[in-house]
Amino acid sequence: KKGMSLDLATAKENVKKVSEKYGLAINPDALISDLSIGMQQRVEILKILFKGANLLVFDEPTAVLTPQEIKELYKIMDNLIAEGKTIIFISHKLQEVLDISDNITVIRRGKDITTFPTKDATKEKIANAMVGRAVLFTTEKPVVEIGETVLTLKHVSVKDQFGVLKVEDASFTISKGEVLGIAGVEGSGQTELVEALTGLRDTCSGEMILDDVLLKRKTPRKISMLGLAHIPEDRHKRAAISQFNVMENFALGLERDEYSKNGLFNFAKLKADAKMFMEKYDVRPRNIDTAFGRLSGGNQQKIIVARELEKKNNNLIIAGQPTRGVDIGAIESIHKLILNEKAKGKAVLVVSSELSEVLNLSDKIAVMCAGKITGILDRKDANEEKIGILMAGGKLD
């Protein structure tokens, strides 16, 4: 600063120097709004380095990055380490922890369970420490004959509440016994697409057809009654009331159609169902009077999954970020439950920012970038590199 004016030339030069020193490759003149999510993250790192920080905490830094951007982040972190910086890297993705760390500390329920050198670690060892038992990382997909089409999207476009186009010209189908996974960094239009399918948002063009019925302008309740079950990406915003107890949360959305008759609510049936669902889906503790908000993330999610999968009519199941915020043991359980629905011949749409989840569950994978479906791959042809290219808006040769 010179007098009352900013010395922008010196600031620009200093930004360039720090950027080049750590391999951040940031243009000082670029507008933040024009940068990719990966580049915006580099700017955040640069801001910290500019202040002279020697200890950097990366908290789930890859959640909104493509596979290629993750590799670039690793290089930047290597440069930081080479310059003598110390990094605390927090992640629930075990492969990332193995790829980037020197030592690993496992925290369970707020306590430091164990610490060991990364050279002595395996996915199995870390997972065992995280949940206290052996965990399966892949779930065997049942062999199911693909049946008739359940859901068809034809050139669907969706705007957000501000009139900004969030989904553009999306087309795909899902059939009985088939799992379609949607991959993409968060904010690529997946949320708005699911909101349109479930009646929470209007489409501005195109057709959505569920079992030969057009969904346009149908209410969420009517769409649910047509046979759609919805596990929302944000269970607290869309699926549960934290202050209500477990039994009451099992009733949400079903209170008029499954637990009421002639204006009378059947508490006895709800209570019996709630106890049965807690046992069947291994929700702990087994107390239907426990407040939903007092349960762990994994047990909260199991309640939402149980409620949606146990509906009398659920030909199409939409699972948005189905394992977000749950431990690796609950992930294993939820994946099995989703694949059980496939085995029953249900059509399933899984939306996830976790590539490993999409690859583990899907028969077909649709990739979204900036509101567009940039490609649809058969699972046998898909890998992280191909999906990463499509996630960044590129094209496959």
Side-chain angles (χ1 to χ4, degrees):
K1 197 170 181 179
K2 293 178 179 177
M4 296 299 292
S5 62
L6 290 172
D7 186 356
L8 294 177
T10 302
K12 189 185 295 186
E13 189 59 34
N14 288 340
V15 167
K16 254 183 118 177
K17 282 179 183 175
V18 177
S19 173
E20 289 169 1
K21 180 178 180 181
Y22 295 102
L24 293 167
I26 294 169
N27 176 5
D29 295 314
L31 287 174
I32 296 296
S33 58
D34 293 337
L35 298 178
S36 68
I37 298 292
M39 290 302 293
Q40 288 178 16
Q41 190 178 65
R42 293 187 190 192
V43 173
E44 292 303 310
I45 296 170
L46 180 67
K47 283 160 65 177
I48 295 169
L49 294 172
F50 216 73
K51 297 173 183 175
N54 290 314
L55 173 64
L56 292 86
V57 180
F58 288 73
D59 189 359
E60 302 282 1
T62 65
V64 291
L65 302 184
T66 67
Q68 286 81 359
E69 287 173 328
I70 291 170
K71 289 177 183 176
E72 290 168 7
L73 176 64
Y74 287 175
K75 288 178 186 174
I76 292 166
M77 293 174 71
D78 286 339
N79 292 340
L80 293 169
I81 295 296
E83 289 291 333
K85 305 295 183 184
T86 300
I87 296 175
I88 298 174
F89 184 86
I90 303 168
S91 179
H92 66 278
K93 300 178 183 179
L94 304 191
Q95 190 57 54
E96 287 184 359
V97 173
L98 290 167
D99 286 343
I100 202 66
S101 66
D102 297 301
N103 294 284
I104 297 168
T105 293
V106 177
I107 296 175
R108 189 194 328 152
R109 295 179 181 174
K111 292 182 180 179
D112 175 358
I113 299 298
T114 184
T115 298
F116 41 79
T118 303
K119 62 181 176 60
D120 298 335
T122 62
K123 277 188 180 182
E124 290 74 18
K125 183 175 180 179
I126 301 170
N128 200 320
M130 288 170 72
V131 299
R133 63 172 176 82
V135 174
L136 295 174
F137 290 96
T138 57
T139 308
E140 188 175 341
K141 269 195 286 196
V143 178
V144 180
E145 185 175 341
I146 304 301
E148 61 192 39
T149 301
V150 174
L151 177 71
T152 301
L153 264 68
K154 296 179 180 178
H155 308 293
V156 169
S157 295
V158 185
K159 291 180 179 179
D160 67 9
Q161 61 269 37
F162 306 108
V164 177
L165 195 62
K166 289 294 185 177
V167 179
E168 185 177 352
D169 198 34
S171 298
F172 58 78
T173 62
I174 314 176
S175 301
K176 289 183 177 180
E178 182 176 56
V179 179
L180 173 69
I182 295 187
V185 297
E186 292 196 43
S188 296
Q190 308 96 314
T191 297
E192 290 78 12
L193 179 62
V194 170
E195 286 177 345
L197 279 167
T198 53
L200 297 168
R201 186 178 297 280
D202 283 336
T203 57
C204 55
S205 63
E207 292 182 343
M208 302 181 297
I209 305 163
L210 175 59
D211 285 335
D212 299 323
V213 178
L214 281 168
L215 298 185
K216 190 170 179 64
R217 305 208 183 282
K218 294 263 189 309
T219 64
R221 180 168 176 250
K222 285 183 179 177
I223 292 174
S224 176
M225 291 174 70
L226 286 170
L228 187 147
H230 180 208
I231 302 165
E233 64 177 48
D234 186 339
R235 58 181 169 267
H236 295 289
K237 182 179 179 181
R238 297 288 193 197
I241 299 174
S242 294
Q243 295 83 1
F244 281 17
N245 66 28
V246 169
M247 182 179 73
E248 291 163 338
N249 273 281
F250 272 125
L252 292 180
L254 306 175
E255 64 275 5
R256 283 191 285 181
D257 303 311
E258 295 201 18
Y259 293 111
S260 294
K261 191 173 183 180
N262 300 325
L264 297 174
F265 192 87
N266 191 339
F267 279 101
K269 183 178 188 309
L270 173 60
K271 188 173 182 178
D273 282 355
K275 287 181 176 179
M276 184 263 288
F277 294 158
M278 290 189 84
E279 192 72 34
K280 182 176 177 180
Y281 289 82
D282 193 26
V283 178
R284 301 180 188 186
R286 301 271 206 277
N287 183 355
I288 60 173
D289 296 317
T290 304
F292 183 88
R294 294 181 65 85
L295 298 176
S296 68
N299 283 296
Q300 289 179 353
Q301 190 70 352
K302 284 180 185 178
I303 289 170
I304 308 307
V305 170
R307 186 181 69 207
E308 297 304 308
L309 299 190
E310 292 292 334
K311 282 182 178 178
K312 291 174 184 174
N313 183 18
N314 59 356
N315 301 325
L316 171 66
I317 296 156
I318 297 179
Q321 311 292 348
T323 58
R324 172 180 280 164
V326 307
D327 66 68
I328 198 164
I331 290 172
E332 176 191 34
S333 172
I334 290 167
H335 283 185
K336 284 180 179 177
L337 291 169
I338 289 172
L339 290 176
N340 282 344
E341 296 304 305
K342 169 185 165 65
K344 294 175 188 174
K346 305 293 177 64
V348 183
L349 176 65
V350 173
V351 180
S352 179
S353 56
E354 301 285 352
L355 271 192
S356 58
E357 184 162 66
V358 172
L359 289 165
N360 188 23
L361 296 175
S362 306
D363 299 300
K364 291 189 308 192
I365 299 170
V367 185
M368 291 191 74
C369 175
K372 295 181 180 179
I373 293 180
T374 49
I376 298 178
L377 303 171
D378 283 332
R379 174 60 186 90
K380 65 181 188 303
D381 301 323
N383 57 41
E384 287 201 5
E385 184 179 358
K386 286 182 180 180
I387 295 173
I389 292 168
L390 294 171
M391 282 170 70
K395 292 184 179 180
L396 301 178
D397 296 330

